[in-house]
Amino acid sequence: MASLAPRLRQRRKAARPQELLEAALTLFVDKGLAATRTDDVARLAGVSKGTLYLYYTSKDELFKAVVHTYLVQVIAEGTDLTEQFDGDSAALLRLLVHTWWARVGSAKASGLVPIIMAESAHFPELAQFYVDHVIEPTHRLLGRAVQRGIDRGEFRPVDTRMAVLALIAPVHFLVMHQHSLAPCAGSLADMAPETYLDMQLDLLLHGLTAPPRT
């Protein structure tokens, strides 16, 4: 048993950064960026404040690490997926949107979106970090997928920037909905997110116009 102790401590130490990030994500989402204190993060993670600072030197750095782990890495995976995908571009867009929802939108990490929207004016450096590492890469990724469809003759030529915004808007609506009015949303209370996303994608790809009668 004595020989196991150093290895157990080493495993515990290796897991500590992720435990700190999970605690920080929970508090950022539950309390907001301004109200979250590093003392609270350390306490929730079960370590001292000094230990937290061994890994993350400030709350800003901790927030950046949370964004990188729970958002930036998902975008990077989406980029790899796009480069390797060999199906039609409509299927690629559906895969990207549903993968994002499964990995981020339906998870606690989705709470980072309303936080940055609500508090960006008070944390301009973190807002710029979010723009540079989340918003712009997301736009590039989706723009590449749309342009792929145009180049292959699957989509008609459109302004890819506007098409990207049309893709992102329904997802933002879902995120804001579930973090605000979802518990008392009346007729939307039983809305299935995946069904809603499929409908929005169908509208974007085909519009409301019925095909000509034969």
Side-chain angles (χ1 to χ4, degrees):
M1 292 297 294
S3 64
L4 285 175
R7 281 183 287 173
L8 291 173
R9 284 196 296 270
Q10 189 64 31
R11 289 178 188 172
R12 180 75 175 83
K13 184 177 181 180
R16 194 163 287 147
Q18 184 59 35
E19 292 171 351
L20 288 166
L21 291 177
E22 290 173 0
L25 174 63
T26 296
L27 290 171
F28 286 142
V29 171
D30 291 348
K31 300 178 64 175
L33 185 53
T36 296
R37 302 184 306 163
T38 52
D39 306 56
D40 300 328
V41 175
R43 188 179 304 109
L44 184 59
V47 301
S48 67
K49 187 175 178 180
T51 298
L52 183 151
Y53 284 136
L54 289 175
Y55 298 94
Y56 307 105
T57 57
S58 66
K59 184 170 73 171
D60 284 8
E61 291 304 312
L62 184 58
F63 183 78
K64 290 178 181 179
V66 167
V67 169
H68 186 273
T69 298
Y70 293 99
L71 299 181
V72 175
Q73 289 184 8
V74 176
I75 298 169
E77 291 170 14
T79 300
D80 292 340
L81 186 154
T82 299
E83 292 175 352
Q84 299 168 12
F85 193 80
D86 61 0
D88 65 81
S89 300
L92 173 59
L93 287 178
R94 291 185 187 278
L95 181 59
L96 289 173
V97 169
H98 281 286
T99 298
W100 189 92
W101 183 257
R103 293 285 305 280
V104 178
S106 61
K108 184 180 286 290
S110 65
L112 294 171
V113 177
I115 285 172
I116 203 69
M117 293 178 70
E119 302 191 52
S120 59
H122 303 293
F123 298 92
E125 181 186 344
L126 294 182
Q128 189 62 54
F129 175 87
Y130 190 87
V131 168
D132 294 340
H133 293 84
V134 177
I135 294 179
E136 292 297 338
T138 298
H139 284 207
R140 287 195 297 269
L141 169 58
L142 293 175
R144 185 181 307 173
V146 172
Q147 188 62 50
R148 176 186 189 270
I150 295 172
D151 295 342
R152 289 161 58 104
E154 298 165 340
F155 302 156
R156 63 184 176 85
V158 295
D159 185 330
T160 57
R161 296 174 303 167
M162 297 299 104
V164 165
L165 294 178
L167 281 164
I168 291 174
V171 179
H172 271 188
F173 165 77
L174 273 183
V175 169
M176 301 305 292
H177 173 72
Q178 73 176 3
H179 287 280
S180 56
L181 297 176
C184 52
S187 62
L188 297 180
D190 60 349
M191 178 177 62
E194 292 79 7
T195 302
Y196 170 80
L197 290 174
D198 278 332
M199 180 66 179
Q200 292 296 324
L201 285 166
D202 185 67
L203 285 173
L204 181 65
L205 292 168
H206 306 294
L208 286 173
T209 305
R213 294 181 177 180
T214 58

